[in-house]
Amino acid sequence: MCLNDGIFVNEEEYSEFVRTEIVVNAVTHRDYGIKGTDIQIKMFDDRIEVDSPGTFAGMVKKENIRYTHFSRNPKIAAFLKDYGYVKEYGEGVDRMCKELESIGLPDPVFINNSFILKTVVMSSSYQNVSNLTSIERNDALINNKAALIDIIMQKEKTKEISEKDSTDAQKIVGELDIMQVIDSEDVMKILDCKTTKARQILKVMNTNKIIKPVHGMGKGKYMLNVHVEK
């Protein structure tokens, strides 16, 4: 927002295409097999961050994403193309980079955690691109939770955890802080379920070492087991 002849007017720092493209990319390429979390769009004074469940698709990597196309969800991509959200397959990231470069902004940065692909578009007020290491450091906690979700998904594949319990367990992991202590009442709020179901899913998660008992705080208290081995 700036002052023009005594009147405040909005000036867009990121073009409509850039804003649309990072969201369209997330919707098109997210891993819909990952449950318990969704696409998240975060706006800060100096940047926009979009978190999309999943990792780089196919042969796409951080180093070649500008010019390499691979569709994890071709039917969704085709649907979005029919409605004009996708112009040409594979051109979106390159065009986004060109538009940012044309107004003196850095290229978007892609940070790939275990199960979240974060896209960061920075404004002119972002002082130093190297400061992105602090974003990566803050996301270290996500890596711990990602490892637990990976384990849950593997146990679902091997039938050690049912599909329903897997979905519920992933949602619980996604909602919790790393050091948060929980009990059945907390699970009832997260899942909107009754006490019996809450105790049952806690038992499943404890048996599979997704959570661990917290001693000295009374019976039925747990926290995420971030040191569990796959």
PDB file of all heavy atoms in Angstrom, residues 7-40:
ATOM      1  N   ILE A   7      -4.185   9.710  -1.152  1.00  0.00           N
ATOM      2  CA  ILE A   7      -5.064   8.544  -1.063  1.00  0.00           C
ATOM      3  C   ILE A   7      -4.216   7.277  -1.048  1.00  0.00           C
ATOM      4  O   ILE A   7      -3.283   7.126  -1.844  1.00  0.00           O
ATOM      5  CB  ILE A   7      -6.041   8.475  -2.257  1.00  0.00           C
ATOM      6  CG1 ILE A   7      -6.919   9.733  -2.287  1.00  0.00           C
ATOM      7  CG2 ILE A   7      -6.904   7.218  -2.169  1.00  0.00           C
ATOM      8  CD1 ILE A   7      -7.817   9.811  -3.508  1.00  0.00           C
ATOM      9  N   PHE A   8      -4.512   6.380  -0.115  1.00  0.00           N
ATOM     10  CA  PHE A   8      -3.803   5.113  -0.070  1.00  0.00           C
ATOM     11  C   PHE A   8      -4.325   4.187  -1.175  1.00  0.00           C
ATOM     12  O   PHE A   8      -5.538   4.016  -1.337  1.00  0.00           O
ATOM     13  CB  PHE A   8      -3.987   4.428   1.292  1.00  0.00           C
ATOM     14  CG  PHE A   8      -3.150   5.032   2.382  1.00  0.00           C
ATOM     15  CD1 PHE A   8      -3.730   5.858   3.345  1.00  0.00           C
ATOM     16  CD2 PHE A   8      -1.785   4.785   2.444  1.00  0.00           C
ATOM     17  CE1 PHE A   8      -2.956   6.425   4.341  1.00  0.00           C
ATOM     18  CE2 PHE A   8      -1.014   5.340   3.447  1.00  0.00           C
ATOM     19  CZ  PHE A   8      -1.581   6.162   4.399  1.00  0.00           C
ATOM     20  N   VAL A   9      -3.392   3.638  -1.935  1.00  0.00           N
ATOM     21  CA  VAL A   9      -3.748   2.685  -2.982  1.00  0.00           C
ATOM     22  C   VAL A   9      -2.905   1.430  -2.804  1.00  0.00           C
ATOM     23  O   VAL A   9      -1.765   1.493  -2.322  1.00  0.00           O
ATOM     24  CB  VAL A   9      -3.530   3.263  -4.402  1.00  0.00           C
ATOM     25  CG1 VAL A   9      -4.463   4.428  -4.654  1.00  0.00           C
ATOM     26  CG2 VAL A   9      -2.073   3.668  -4.602  1.00  0.00           C
ATOM     27  N   ASN A  10      -3.454   0.291  -3.203  1.00  0.00           N
ATOM     28  CA  ASN A  10      -2.728  -0.966  -3.105  1.00  0.00           C
ATOM     29  C   ASN A  10      -1.838  -1.172  -4.321  1.00  0.00           C
ATOM     30  O   ASN A  10      -2.260  -0.950  -5.454  1.00  0.00           O
ATOM     31  CB  ASN A  10      -3.704  -2.145  -3.001  1.00  0.00           C
ATOM     32  CG  ASN A  10      -4.406  -2.192  -1.658  1.00  0.00           C
ATOM     33  OD1 ASN A  10      -3.810  -1.868  -0.638  1.00  0.00           O
ATOM     34  ND2 ASN A  10      -5.673  -2.574  -1.668  1.00  0.00           N
ATOM     35  N   GLU A  11      -0.607  -1.572  -4.066  1.00  0.00           N
ATOM     36  CA  GLU A  11       0.309  -1.940  -5.132  1.00  0.00           C
ATOM     37  C   GLU A  11       0.713  -3.390  -4.922  1.00  0.00           C
ATOM     38  O   GLU A  11       1.235  -3.735  -3.863  1.00  0.00           O
ATOM     39  CB  GLU A  11       1.557  -1.043  -5.138  1.00  0.00           C
ATOM     40  CG  GLU A  11       1.288   0.361  -5.652  1.00  0.00           C
ATOM     41  CD  GLU A  11       2.574   1.142  -5.846  1.00  0.00           C
ATOM     42  OE1 GLU A  11       3.636   0.653  -5.389  1.00  0.00           O
ATOM     43  OE2 GLU A  11       2.526   2.221  -6.453  1.00  0.00           O
ATOM     44  N   GLU A  12       0.471  -4.220  -5.911  1.00  0.00           N
ATOM     45  CA  GLU A  12       0.779  -5.636  -5.789  1.00  0.00           C
ATOM     46  C   GLU A  12       2.256  -5.872  -6.055  1.00  0.00           C
ATOM     47  O   GLU A  12       2.777  -5.523  -7.113  1.00  0.00           O
ATOM     48  CB  GLU A  12      -0.065  -6.447  -6.770  1.00  0.00           C
ATOM     49  CG  GLU A  12      -1.555  -6.365  -6.495  1.00  0.00           C
ATOM     50  CD  GLU A  12      -2.352  -7.206  -7.475  1.00  0.00           C
ATOM     51  OE1 GLU A  12      -1.790  -7.563  -8.529  1.00  0.00           O
ATOM     52  OE2 GLU A  12      -3.516  -7.512  -7.191  1.00  0.00           O
ATOM     53  N   GLU A  13       2.931  -6.469  -5.081  1.00  0.00           N
ATOM     54  CA  GLU A  13       4.343  -6.783  -5.286  1.00  0.00           C
ATOM     55  C   GLU A  13       4.506  -8.093  -6.050  1.00  0.00           C
ATOM     56  O   GLU A  13       5.418  -8.239  -6.849  1.00  0.00           O
ATOM     57  CB  GLU A  13       5.070  -6.869  -3.947  1.00  0.00           C
ATOM     58  CG  GLU A  13       6.579  -7.055  -4.100  1.00  0.00           C
ATOM     59  CD  GLU A  13       7.342  -6.619  -2.886  1.00  0.00           C
ATOM     60  OE1 GLU A  13       6.759  -6.613  -1.793  1.00  0.00           O
ATOM     61  OE2 GLU A  13       8.526  -6.265  -3.012  1.00  0.00           O
ATOM     62  N   TYR A  14       3.610  -9.034  -5.797  1.00  0.00           N
ATOM     63  CA  TYR A  14       3.634 -10.294  -6.536  1.00  0.00           C
ATOM     64  C   TYR A  14       2.486 -10.247  -7.549  1.00  0.00           C
ATOM     65  O   TYR A  14       1.355  -9.930  -7.195  1.00  0.00           O
ATOM     66  CB  TYR A  14       3.424 -11.486  -5.601  1.00  0.00           C
ATOM     67  CG  TYR A  14       4.242 -11.448  -4.328  1.00  0.00           C
ATOM     68  CD1 TYR A  14       3.626 -11.116  -3.120  1.00  0.00           C
ATOM     69  CD2 TYR A  14       5.600 -11.744  -4.324  1.00  0.00           C
ATOM     70  CE1 TYR A  14       4.354 -11.090  -1.936  1.00  0.00           C
ATOM     71  CE2 TYR A  14       6.331 -11.720  -3.148  1.00  0.00           C
ATOM     72  CZ  TYR A  14       5.710 -11.385  -1.963  1.00  0.00           C
ATOM     73  OH  TYR A  14       6.424 -11.355  -0.798  1.00  0.00           O
ATOM     74  N   SER A  15       2.772 -10.584  -8.795  1.00  0.00           N
ATOM     75  CA  SER A  15       1.738 -10.551  -9.822  1.00  0.00           C
ATOM     76  C   SER A  15       0.677 -11.606  -9.553  1.00  0.00           C
ATOM     77  O   SER A  15       0.905 -12.577  -8.819  1.00  0.00           O
ATOM     78  CB  SER A  15       2.358 -10.787 -11.201  1.00  0.00           C
ATOM     79  OG  SER A  15       2.810 -12.136 -11.317  1.00  0.00           O
ATOM     80  N   GLU A  16      -0.478 -11.426 -10.182  1.00  0.00           N
ATOM     81  CA  GLU A  16      -1.555 -12.400 -10.033  1.00  0.00           C
ATOM     82  C   GLU A  16      -1.101 -13.774 -10.505  1.00  0.00           C
ATOM     83  O   GLU A  16      -1.436 -14.794  -9.907  1.00  0.00           O
ATOM     84  CB  GLU A  16      -2.783 -11.960 -10.825  1.00  0.00           C
ATOM     85  CG  GLU A  16      -3.962 -12.921 -10.693  1.00  0.00           C
ATOM     86  CD  GLU A  16      -5.177 -12.487 -11.474  1.00  0.00           C
ATOM     87  OE1 GLU A  16      -5.143 -11.373 -12.052  1.00  0.00           O
ATOM     88  OE2 GLU A  16      -6.159 -13.255 -11.518  1.00  0.00           O
ATOM     89  N   PHE A  17      -0.300 -13.811 -11.582  1.00  0.00           N
ATOM     90  CA  PHE A  17       0.159 -15.105 -12.088  1.00  0.00           C
ATOM     91  C   PHE A  17       1.019 -15.826 -11.056  1.00  0.00           C
ATOM     92  O   PHE A  17       0.863 -17.028 -10.831  1.00  0.00           O
ATOM     93  CB  PHE A  17       0.973 -14.939 -13.377  1.00  0.00           C
ATOM     94  CG  PHE A  17       1.536 -16.237 -13.887  1.00  0.00           C
ATOM     95  CD1 PHE A  17       0.751 -17.103 -14.631  1.00  0.00           C
ATOM     96  CD2 PHE A  17       2.836 -16.630 -13.571  1.00  0.00           C
ATOM     97  CE1 PHE A  17       1.253 -18.323 -15.074  1.00  0.00           C
ATOM     98  CE2 PHE A  17       3.342 -17.840 -14.004  1.00  0.00           C
ATOM     99  CZ  PHE A  17       2.545 -18.690 -14.759  1.00  0.00           C
ATOM    100  N   VAL A  18       1.943 -15.097 -10.418  1.00  0.00           N
ATOM    101  CA  VAL A  18       2.828 -15.717  -9.423  1.00  0.00           C
ATOM    102  C   VAL A  18       2.012 -16.258  -8.263  1.00  0.00           C
ATOM    103  O   VAL A  18       2.205 -17.397  -7.822  1.00  0.00           O
ATOM    104  CB  VAL A  18       3.878 -14.705  -8.920  1.00  0.00           C
ATOM    105  CG1 VAL A  18       4.633 -15.263  -7.714  1.00  0.00           C
ATOM    106  CG2 VAL A  18       4.865 -14.360 -10.034  1.00  0.00           C
ATOM    107  N   ARG A  19       1.066 -15.464  -7.769  1.00  0.00           N
ATOM    108  CA  ARG A  19       0.243 -15.906  -6.648  1.00  0.00           C
ATOM    109  C   ARG A  19      -0.577 -17.133  -7.028  1.00  0.00           C
ATOM    110  O   ARG A  19      -0.715 -18.075  -6.245  1.00  0.00           O
ATOM    111  CB  ARG A  19      -0.691 -14.777  -6.179  1.00  0.00           C
ATOM    112  CG  ARG A  19       0.018 -13.522  -5.720  1.00  0.00           C
ATOM    113  CD  ARG A  19      -0.919 -12.599  -4.959  1.00  0.00           C
ATOM    114  NE  ARG A  19      -2.150 -12.322  -5.667  1.00  0.00           N
ATOM    115  CZ  ARG A  19      -2.337 -11.302  -6.502  1.00  0.00           C
ATOM    116  NH1 ARG A  19      -1.333 -10.474  -6.753  1.00  0.00           N
ATOM    117  NH2 ARG A  19      -3.509 -11.107  -7.082  1.00  0.00           N
ATOM    118  N   THR A  20      -1.140 -17.104  -8.231  1.00  0.00           N
ATOM    119  CA  THR A  20      -1.964 -18.235  -8.673  1.00  0.00           C
ATOM    120  C   THR A  20      -1.118 -19.469  -8.906  1.00  0.00           C
ATOM    121  O   THR A  20      -1.500 -20.583  -8.526  1.00  0.00           O
ATOM    122  CB  THR A  20      -2.716 -17.866  -9.963  1.00  0.00           C
ATOM    123  OG1 THR A  20      -3.530 -16.718  -9.729  1.00  0.00           O
ATOM    124  CG2 THR A  20      -3.595 -19.023 -10.424  1.00  0.00           C
ATOM    125  N   GLU A  21       0.050 -19.296  -9.521  1.00  0.00           N
ATOM    126  CA  GLU A  21       0.879 -20.434  -9.912  1.00  0.00           C
ATOM    127  C   GLU A  21       1.350 -21.257  -8.718  1.00  0.00           C
ATOM    128  O   GLU A  21       1.349 -22.489  -8.770  1.00  0.00           O
ATOM    129  CB  GLU A  21       2.094 -19.942 -10.711  1.00  0.00           C
ATOM    130  CG  GLU A  21       3.073 -21.038 -11.141  1.00  0.00           C
ATOM    131  CD  GLU A  21       2.447 -22.066 -12.076  1.00  0.00           C
ATOM    132  OE1 GLU A  21       1.429 -21.759 -12.714  1.00  0.00           O
ATOM    133  OE2 GLU A  21       2.988 -23.184 -12.158  1.00  0.00           O
ATOM    134  N   ILE A  22       1.749 -20.587  -7.623  1.00  0.00           N
ATOM    135  CA  ILE A  22       2.252 -21.368  -6.492  1.00  0.00           C
ATOM    136  C   ILE A  22       1.129 -22.184  -5.847  1.00  0.00           C
ATOM    137  O   ILE A  22       1.372 -23.276  -5.341  1.00  0.00           O
ATOM    138  CB  ILE A  22       2.957 -20.478  -5.442  1.00  0.00           C
ATOM    139  CG1 ILE A  22       2.044 -19.359  -4.951  1.00  0.00           C
ATOM    140  CG2 ILE A  22       4.258 -19.920  -5.976  1.00  0.00           C
ATOM    141  CD1 ILE A  22       2.668 -18.509  -3.852  1.00  0.00           C
ATOM    142  N   VAL A  23      -0.104 -21.671  -5.907  1.00  0.00           N
ATOM    143  CA  VAL A  23      -1.233 -22.428  -5.365  1.00  0.00           C
ATOM    144  C   VAL A  23      -1.631 -23.546  -6.323  1.00  0.00           C
ATOM    145  O   VAL A  23      -1.871 -24.686  -5.901  1.00  0.00           O
ATOM    146  CB  VAL A  23      -2.437 -21.499  -5.088  1.00  0.00           C
ATOM    147  CG1 VAL A  23      -3.640 -22.307  -4.613  1.00  0.00           C
ATOM    148  CG2 VAL A  23      -2.065 -20.447  -4.040  1.00  0.00           C
ATOM    149  N   VAL A  24      -1.684 -23.251  -7.624  1.00  0.00           N
ATOM    150  CA  VAL A  24      -2.028 -24.263  -8.623  1.00  0.00           C
ATOM    151  C   VAL A  24      -1.017 -25.403  -8.590  1.00  0.00           C
ATOM    152  O   VAL A  24      -1.375 -26.581  -8.673  1.00  0.00           O
ATOM    153  CB  VAL A  24      -2.097 -23.636 -10.030  1.00  0.00           C
ATOM    154  CG1 VAL A  24      -2.148 -24.721 -11.111  1.00  0.00           C
ATOM    155  CG2 VAL A  24      -3.316 -22.734 -10.153  1.00  0.00           C
ATOM    156  N   ASN A  25       0.262 -25.060  -8.469  1.00  0.00           N
ATOM    157  CA  ASN A  25       1.308 -26.084  -8.382  1.00  0.00           C
ATOM    158  C   ASN A  25       1.062 -27.010  -7.195  1.00  0.00           C
ATOM    159  O   ASN A  25       1.208 -28.227  -7.288  1.00  0.00           O
ATOM    160  CB  ASN A  25       2.680 -25.428  -8.238  1.00  0.00           C
ATOM    161  CG  ASN A  25       3.477 -25.497  -9.523  1.00  0.00           C
ATOM    162  OD1 ASN A  25       3.085 -26.155 -10.488  1.00  0.00           O
ATOM    163  ND2 ASN A  25       4.592 -24.799  -9.559  1.00  0.00           N
ATOM    164  N   ALA A  26       0.709 -26.409  -6.063  1.00  0.00           N
ATOM    165  CA  ALA A  26       0.479 -27.206  -4.852  1.00  0.00           C
ATOM    166  C   ALA A  26      -0.706 -28.149  -5.039  1.00  0.00           C
ATOM    167  O   ALA A  26      -0.636 -29.329  -4.680  1.00  0.00           O
ATOM    168  CB  ALA A  26       0.241 -26.284  -3.656  1.00  0.00           C
ATOM    169  N   VAL A  27      -1.786 -27.638  -5.622  1.00  0.00           N
ATOM    170  CA  VAL A  27      -2.978 -28.461  -5.829  1.00  0.00           C
ATOM    171  C   VAL A  27      -2.707 -29.567  -6.844  1.00  0.00           C
ATOM    172  O   VAL A  27      -3.130 -30.716  -6.668  1.00  0.00           O
ATOM    173  CB  VAL A  27      -4.156 -27.580  -6.304  1.00  0.00           C
ATOM    174  CG1 VAL A  27      -5.349 -28.441  -6.718  1.00  0.00           C
ATOM    175  CG2 VAL A  27      -4.566 -26.600  -5.209  1.00  0.00           C
ATOM    176  N   THR A  28      -1.971 -29.239  -7.900  1.00  0.00           N
ATOM    177  CA  THR A  28      -1.731 -30.192  -8.981  1.00  0.00           C
ATOM    178  C   THR A  28      -0.796 -31.316  -8.571  1.00  0.00           C
ATOM    179  O   THR A  28      -0.998 -32.480  -8.937  1.00  0.00           O
ATOM    180  CB  THR A  28      -1.137 -29.471 -10.207  1.00  0.00           C
ATOM    181  OG1 THR A  28      -1.983 -28.382 -10.580  1.00  0.00           O
ATOM    182  CG2 THR A  28      -1.009 -30.422 -11.388  1.00  0.00           C
ATOM    183  N   HIS A  29       0.232 -30.964  -7.811  1.00  0.00           N
ATOM    184  CA  HIS A  29       1.306 -31.926  -7.585  1.00  0.00           C
ATOM    185  C   HIS A  29       1.386 -32.481  -6.166  1.00  0.00           C
ATOM    186  O   HIS A  29       2.293 -33.254  -5.858  1.00  0.00           O
ATOM    187  CB  HIS A  29       2.653 -31.292  -7.947  1.00  0.00           C
ATOM    188  CG  HIS A  29       2.732 -30.860  -9.383  1.00  0.00           C
ATOM    189  ND1 HIS A  29       2.610 -31.745 -10.419  1.00  0.00           N
ATOM    190  CD2 HIS A  29       2.897 -29.633  -9.942  1.00  0.00           C
ATOM    191  CE1 HIS A  29       2.711 -31.091 -11.572  1.00  0.00           C
ATOM    192  NE2 HIS A  29       2.873 -29.815 -11.311  1.00  0.00           N
ATOM    193  N   ARG A  30       0.459 -32.116  -5.290  1.00  0.00           N
ATOM    194  CA  ARG A  30       0.526 -32.643  -3.931  1.00  0.00           C
ATOM    195  C   ARG A  30       0.308 -34.155  -3.942  1.00  0.00           C
ATOM    196  O   ARG A  30      -0.260 -34.719  -4.882  1.00  0.00           O
ATOM    197  CB  ARG A  30      -0.485 -31.980  -2.995  1.00  0.00           C
ATOM    198  CG  ARG A  30      -1.935 -32.394  -3.199  1.00  0.00           C
ATOM    199  CD  ARG A  30      -2.752 -32.206  -1.919  1.00  0.00           C
ATOM    200  NE  ARG A  30      -2.458 -33.244  -0.941  1.00  0.00           N
ATOM    201  CZ  ARG A  30      -2.986 -33.315   0.262  1.00  0.00           C
ATOM    202  NH1 ARG A  30      -3.849 -32.416   0.660  1.00  0.00           N
ATOM    203  NH2 ARG A  30      -2.674 -34.301   1.087  1.00  0.00           N
ATOM    204  N   ASP A  31       0.801 -34.801  -2.916  1.00  0.00           N
ATOM    205  CA  ASP A  31       0.609 -36.245  -2.762  1.00  0.00           C
ATOM    206  C   ASP A  31      -0.670 -36.459  -1.969  1.00  0.00           C
ATOM    207  O   ASP A  31      -0.694 -36.265  -0.756  1.00  0.00           O
ATOM    208  CB  ASP A  31       1.815 -36.854  -2.044  1.00  0.00           C
ATOM    209  CG  ASP A  31       1.748 -38.374  -1.981  1.00  0.00           C
ATOM    210  OD1 ASP A  31       0.642 -38.926  -2.171  1.00  0.00           O
ATOM    211  OD2 ASP A  31       2.785 -39.003  -1.721  1.00  0.00           O
ATOM    212  N   TYR A  32      -1.733 -36.868  -2.651  1.00  0.00           N
ATOM    213  CA  TYR A  32      -3.027 -37.028  -1.993  1.00  0.00           C
ATOM    214  C   TYR A  32      -3.100 -38.319  -1.180  1.00  0.00           C
ATOM    215  O   TYR A  32      -4.108 -38.583  -0.525  1.00  0.00           O
ATOM    216  CB  TYR A  32      -4.153 -36.975  -3.028  1.00  0.00           C
ATOM    217  CG  TYR A  32      -4.375 -35.572  -3.553  1.00  0.00           C
ATOM    218  CD1 TYR A  32      -3.716 -35.133  -4.701  1.00  0.00           C
ATOM    219  CD2 TYR A  32      -5.195 -34.677  -2.881  1.00  0.00           C
ATOM    220  CE1 TYR A  32      -3.892 -33.840  -5.178  1.00  0.00           C
ATOM    221  CE2 TYR A  32      -5.378 -33.389  -3.343  1.00  0.00           C
ATOM    222  CZ  TYR A  32      -4.722 -32.971  -4.491  1.00  0.00           C
ATOM    223  OH  TYR A  32      -4.892 -31.682  -4.947  1.00  0.00           O
ATOM    224  N   GLY A  33      -2.031 -39.116  -1.217  1.00  0.00           N
ATOM    225  CA  GLY A  33      -1.970 -40.302  -0.370  1.00  0.00           C
ATOM    226  C   GLY A  33      -1.565 -39.980   1.054  1.00  0.00           C
ATOM    227  O   GLY A  33      -1.720 -40.795   1.961  1.00  0.00           O
ATOM    228  N   ILE A  34      -1.041 -38.780   1.273  1.00  0.00           N
ATOM    229  CA  ILE A  34      -0.652 -38.349   2.617  1.00  0.00           C
ATOM    230  C   ILE A  34      -1.875 -37.761   3.308  1.00  0.00           C
ATOM    231  O   ILE A  34      -2.474 -36.795   2.829  1.00  0.00           O
ATOM    232  CB  ILE A  34       0.481 -37.313   2.573  1.00  0.00           C
ATOM    233  CG1 ILE A  34       1.739 -37.939   1.955  1.00  0.00           C
ATOM    234  CG2 ILE A  34       0.785 -36.769   3.964  1.00  0.00           C
ATOM    235  CD1 ILE A  34       2.882 -36.970   1.767  1.00  0.00           C
ATOM    236  N   LYS A  35      -2.246 -38.339   4.431  1.00  0.00           N
ATOM    237  CA  LYS A  35      -3.447 -37.914   5.150  1.00  0.00           C
ATOM    238  C   LYS A  35      -3.053 -37.145   6.412  1.00  0.00           C
ATOM    239  O   LYS A  35      -1.924 -37.212   6.870  1.00  0.00           O
ATOM    240  CB  LYS A  35      -4.281 -39.140   5.519  1.00  0.00           C
ATOM    241  CG  LYS A  35      -4.583 -40.047   4.322  1.00  0.00           C
ATOM    242  CD  LYS A  35      -4.995 -41.432   4.773  1.00  0.00           C
ATOM    243  CE  LYS A  35      -5.083 -42.398   3.608  1.00  0.00           C
ATOM    244  NZ  LYS A  35      -5.319 -43.785   4.049  1.00  0.00           N
ATOM    245  N   GLY A  36      -3.995 -36.438   6.962  1.00  0.00           N
ATOM    246  CA  GLY A  36      -3.756 -35.764   8.229  1.00  0.00           C
ATOM    247  C   GLY A  36      -3.172 -34.376   8.104  1.00  0.00           C
ATOM    248  O   GLY A  36      -2.935 -33.706   9.108  1.00  0.00           O
ATOM    249  N   THR A  37      -2.937 -33.910   6.869  1.00  0.00           N
ATOM    250  CA  THR A  37      -2.454 -32.547   6.674  1.00  0.00           C
ATOM    251  C   THR A  37      -2.934 -32.060   5.318  1.00  0.00           C
ATOM    252  O   THR A  37      -3.310 -32.859   4.455  1.00  0.00           O
ATOM    253  CB  THR A  37      -0.916 -32.478   6.765  1.00  0.00           C
ATOM    254  OG1 THR A  37      -0.501 -31.101   6.743  1.00  0.00           O
ATOM    255  CG2 THR A  37      -0.246 -33.218   5.617  1.00  0.00           C
ATOM    256  N   ASP A  38      -2.939 -30.756   5.127  1.00  0.00           N
ATOM    257  CA  ASP A  38      -3.448 -30.164   3.894  1.00  0.00           C
ATOM    258  C   ASP A  38      -2.462 -29.134   3.362  1.00  0.00           C
ATOM    259  O   ASP A  38      -1.455 -28.813   4.014  1.00  0.00           O
ATOM    260  CB  ASP A  38      -4.805 -29.486   4.147  1.00  0.00           C
ATOM    261  CG  ASP A  38      -5.882 -30.477   4.543  1.00  0.00           C
ATOM    262  OD1 ASP A  38      -6.139 -31.399   3.751  1.00  0.00           O
ATOM    263  OD2 ASP A  38      -6.460 -30.325   5.636  1.00  0.00           O
ATOM    264  N   ILE A  39      -2.765 -28.598   2.194  1.00  0.00           N
ATOM    265  CA  ILE A  39      -1.989 -27.486   1.651  1.00  0.00           C
ATOM    266  C   ILE A  39      -2.175 -26.285   2.570  1.00  0.00           C
ATOM    267  O   ILE A  39      -3.287 -25.971   2.988  1.00  0.00           O
ATOM    268  CB  ILE A  39      -2.462 -27.153   0.226  1.00  0.00           C
ATOM    269  CG1 ILE A  39      -2.130 -28.315  -0.726  1.00  0.00           C
ATOM    270  CG2 ILE A  39      -1.821 -25.862  -0.275  1.00  0.00           C
ATOM    271  CD1 ILE A  39      -2.776 -28.197  -2.086  1.00  0.00           C
ATOM    272  N   GLN A  40      -1.078 -25.618   2.884  1.00  0.00           N
ATOM    273  CA  GLN A  40      -1.134 -24.445   3.753  1.00  0.00           C
ATOM    274  C   GLN A  40      -0.504 -23.255   3.039  1.00  0.00           C
ATOM    275  O   GLN A  40       0.598 -23.355   2.505  1.00  0.00           O
ATOM    276  CB  GLN A  40      -0.402 -24.708   5.064  1.00  0.00           C
ATOM    277  CG  GLN A  40      -1.007 -25.837   5.886  1.00  0.00           C
ATOM    278  CD  GLN A  40      -0.323 -26.017   7.214  1.00  0.00           C
ATOM    279  OE1 GLN A  40       0.034 -25.049   7.890  1.00  0.00           O
ATOM    280  NE2 GLN A  40      -0.115 -27.261   7.605  1.00  0.00           N
TER     281      GLN A  40
END
